[in-house]
Structure formats: structure tokens, C-alpha cells
Amino acid sequence: RAACFVLLASLALGVSANLSCYQCTSNEHPTCGVNDEGALEGFKKTCESISDGSLKGTAAIGCRKITQSIEGVVSTVRECAYSGENVDGLKKTGNHGIHLYYYQCENEQSGTPCNSIGSVFSPLSILTLIAIYLLQ
């Protein structure tokens, strides 16, 4: 069991090292709103640790895509995620006319962003569940 845990931990660390996400907004770059990895390739960037504020030094834990509709104007934001957990289309509403859909994921492969599509999948979550099962 200990060997399995070490293997799973190594895999998790390997995936989180050099975390890359697509980072853009469709308001500035209309291509950012397209769910096509080839079209998004120019927006792929390494996630840097937060450099100031209360979360200074925090490393990214995954990637995020937010689809927002503000008074009928739809836009997409793709970014690194520094907090939160994996979600697949979590709807949040604000004042009248504001609707947000959050997608957060963990990259399956180092250097391959997972925030290119709407629906997300997290193999690290499965690895975590396997580790918990093995340690019981």
C-alpha cells in the first residue's frame, strides 16, 4: 500500500509541476471563446505563483474556464486556478442579467492545459480516491 501511495503522490506532483493553462479573455481576443485546442495554442502559458497579496507564494492547482453573460453579452475567461475545487459547469448568478458558469480542472498531462473545453475531467481526483482506498 505504501508503494502505491508513493507512486500516486509522484504522479500528482509530476502533473502539478510546470502547470500550464490557457490564459485569455474573449473580450480582448475573440479566439479565446473557441473550444478548440489548436486555436487556443497561442494562449498557453505557464502558471506563475502569486507574487503579492494574502495568497503570496501560492502555486496554481489547476485551470479554470468561466463563461459569463452580463446583460446579454457573452464572454469567456480562461485562467490559472489558485483555489477552489474541480467543477463542471457550476452556475452562479449575480444581479439581474449576470450569469456565470465555472469549469475548473486539473491537467491530465504536464504542459497540456485542461481548460480548452466546457466539460472537464480530473484524473487526479480518481488517483486521490484510489490512494484513499488503498490506505484504509
Side-chain angles (χ1 to χ4, degrees):
R1 285 186 178 182
C4 288
F5 178 75
V6 170
L7 175 63
L8 292 172
S10 298
L11 287 171
L13 290 173
V15 171
S16 62
N18 298 323
L19 184 67
S20 296
C21 296
Y22 297 115
Q23 299 177 51
C24 57
T25 63
S26 64
N27 290 338
E28 296 174 11
H29 305 282
T31 307
C32 184
V34 176
N35 290 332
D36 174 41
E37 289 179 4
L40 294 169
E41 190 63 30
F43 302 115
K44 183 171 117 175
K45 299 176 186 170
T46 300
C47 298
E48 303 293 331
S49 294
I50 296 177
S51 60
D52 57 10
S54 63
L55 296 176
K56 183 176 181 175
T58 301
I61 60 170
C63 300
R64 186 178 292 137
K65 174 186 169 189
I66 303 166
T67 302
Q68 54 191 18
S69 174
I70 301 173
E71 295 184 1
V73 177
V74 178
S75 62
T76 300
V77 176
R78 298 176 196 272
E79 61 190 9
C80 301
Y82 294 90
S83 63
E85 48 191 50
N86 293 340
V87 292
D88 190 10
L90 176 66
K91 182 178 181 180
K92 294 188 178 187
T93 56
N95 295 335
H96 178 71
I98 299 175
H99 303 279
L100 305 169
Y101 291 90
Y102 283 83
Y103 303 87
Q104 185 167 316
C105 54
E106 296 168 354
N107 293 349
E108 184 175 342
Q109 297 175 350
S110 180
T112 304
C114 61
N115 61 340
S116 64
I117 58 174
S119 181
V120 295
F121 172 74
S122 173
L124 284 181
S125 297
I126 293 172
L127 289 175
T128 302
L129 291 174
I130 292 170
I132 292 169
Y133 173 76
L134 292 172
L135 293 173
Q136 290 182 356

